[in-house]
Amino acid sequence: MPVPPSPSHLLIPFAGRGTPACREAMKSLRLPKLESLLSRLAQVGEDMQDDGTLSPPHERALAAALGIAAGDGQIPWAAMEARRAGLDGTAVGWGIATLCHWQVGIDDVVLGDPGAIGIDTAESDALLAIAKPYFEEDGIALHASSVPGRWLAQGALFDGLATASLDRAIGHPIAQWSPLTDAARPLRRLQNEMQMLLYTERVNDERTARGVPPINSFWLSGTGRLAAGASAQEAGPTVADGLREAALRDDGPAWAQAWAALDAGAVAELLASYHAGAQVTLTLCGDRCARRFGVQPRGFTAWARSLVQRVNAPAVLEAL
């Protein structure tokens, strides 16, 4: 007896983007594989919020797919990473401290994209050694992670603290997304201390000599408590991140080019899985909304296939 195809779930962050250049590029997108796939699937779920949530739609959708229930800005990404690293993920107060460059302007301090400044392991480890004593004064333990420029931080200060995802804050003034509660004052002080401390470090002197931005602070995200009985199984959807970089820069042509590559790659593969009989799922995420599409109910499928109509992909993406 043949083994039935395994279910397949593709999650696409930044599938829709409300920034000016990406919205303009959206009008002329040609995504034949996506349109073919959407014409054969039915919407089976929707998470509509607004673009002011601390956790963006793609993070909420991923958490839901993993069976994680969490409040806004409190998805326990740090605790989950700590558990994978062999640390006590159920301990109180985990967060991800991501090293970054704060762009100081006349009126605002803007968060630059940490992924664009090229932090290597040696730099990350050197700065970790410098920062540890300052964090320890506030009862925060720092641990290196598997990703250079990202530390795992654990302390009671982070317990119950809602924090904005990097994907919300990048390119925006720090004040717009920093936690402003009284409980977060030590965090804001630490960020400012790091800005002053790191400015004169040898690592940054060398970076400046190479013509790359200095590392002058950190962004805290991924706070949230992992339940003691949470399953160790973390299998989830395939996350296609190819649109992220261009979307955060609001580079419309690059975003459209990345969409074309995604359409010919991961989306085409999901469409092929559908034709092979798999119970596929597609989740499209924008600034405000995540929509999940799945195979239509069995009794409806044959009739629906006979009425397949062309789906306008830009219109679907614009609604995200």
Side-chain angles (χ1 to χ4, degrees):
M1 182 175 180
V3 177
S6 299
S8 183
H9 184 180
L10 178 66
L11 188 153
I12 305 179
F14 300 103
R17 186 67 167 160
T19 49
C22 288
R23 285 189 68 86
E24 184 62 29
M26 201 179 302
K27 298 175 182 177
S28 56
L29 281 178
R30 297 293 179 266
L31 304 173
K33 300 300 184 184
L34 178 63
E35 291 182 345
S36 180
L37 183 60
L38 287 175
S39 70
R40 290 163 169 79
L41 302 180
Q43 183 174 314
V44 295
E46 179 181 75
D47 173 18
M48 174 68 79
Q49 303 289 332
D50 58 46
D51 56 9
T53 56
L54 301 174
S55 301
H58 54 274
E59 292 192 9
R60 299 197 303 270
L62 179 57
L66 294 172
I68 299 170
D72 187 35
Q74 293 183 305
I75 303 174
W77 301 127
M80 293 172 65
E81 185 171 342
R83 183 176 63 183
R84 290 194 297 269
L87 303 168
D88 183 6
T90 61
V92 171
W94 282 101
I96 296 171
T98 304
L99 295 174
C100 56
H101 175 66
W102 286 12
Q103 303 164 355
V104 181
I106 297 175
D107 299 318
D108 293 309
V109 179
V110 174
L111 178 64
D113 183 0
I117 60 177
I119 304 172
D120 63 30
T121 301
E123 291 173 329
S124 183
D125 290 347
L127 295 178
L128 176 63
I130 294 165
K132 268 188 172 182
Y134 291 87
F135 280 75
E136 288 171 353
E137 289 178 2
D138 285 294
I140 300 168
L142 290 181
H143 306 268
S145 80
S146 59
V147 180
R150 190 167 72 184
W151 305 331
L152 294 173
Q154 191 272 319
L157 167 63
F158 306 142
D159 187 31
L161 181 67
T163 52
S165 164
L166 273 169
D167 286 350
R168 283 300 201 203
I170 286 171
H172 296 282
I174 297 294
Q176 180 177 339
W177 291 103
S178 293
L180 300 178
T181 61
D182 288 344
R185 284 181 180 175
L187 170 62
R188 296 195 297 273
R189 175 177 49 75
L190 265 174
Q191 287 175 315
N192 290 329
E193 284 181 354
M194 288 300 103
Q195 190 175 16
M196 293 182 287
L197 174 68
L198 300 180
Y199 183 76
T200 58
E201 286 302 317
R202 179 177 58 83
V203 166
N204 279 323
D205 290 340
E206 294 171 353
R207 290 178 62 85
T208 300
R210 299 200 308 269
V212 295
I215 301 164
N216 57 11
S217 195
F218 68 94
W219 189 258
L220 186 77
S221 62
T223 50
R225 184 178 290 192
L226 187 64
S231 170
Q233 176 62 39
E234 295 181 9
T238 299
V239 180
D241 272 333
L243 303 172
R244 179 182 182 274
E245 184 177 344
L248 290 175
R249 294 198 316 265
D250 192 27
D251 185 337
W255 183 76
Q257 186 175 16
W259 241 128
L262 188 58
D263 190 63
V267 175
E269 292 171 7
L270 194 68
L271 179 60
S273 295
Y274 168 84
H275 285 306
Q279 296 295 308
V280 303
T281 302
L282 173 68
T283 301
L284 299 175
C285 307
D287 296 335
R288 298 165 292 127
C289 179
R291 288 197 170 95
R292 192 172 74 256
F293 301 85
V295 176
Q296 296 160 339
R298 183 183 299 273
F300 181 69
T301 302
W303 177 77
R305 282 179 177 169
S306 69
L307 298 177
V308 166
Q309 296 180 357
R310 183 178 181 276
V311 173
N312 182 270
V316 173
L317 303 181
E318 187 175 6
L320 299 173

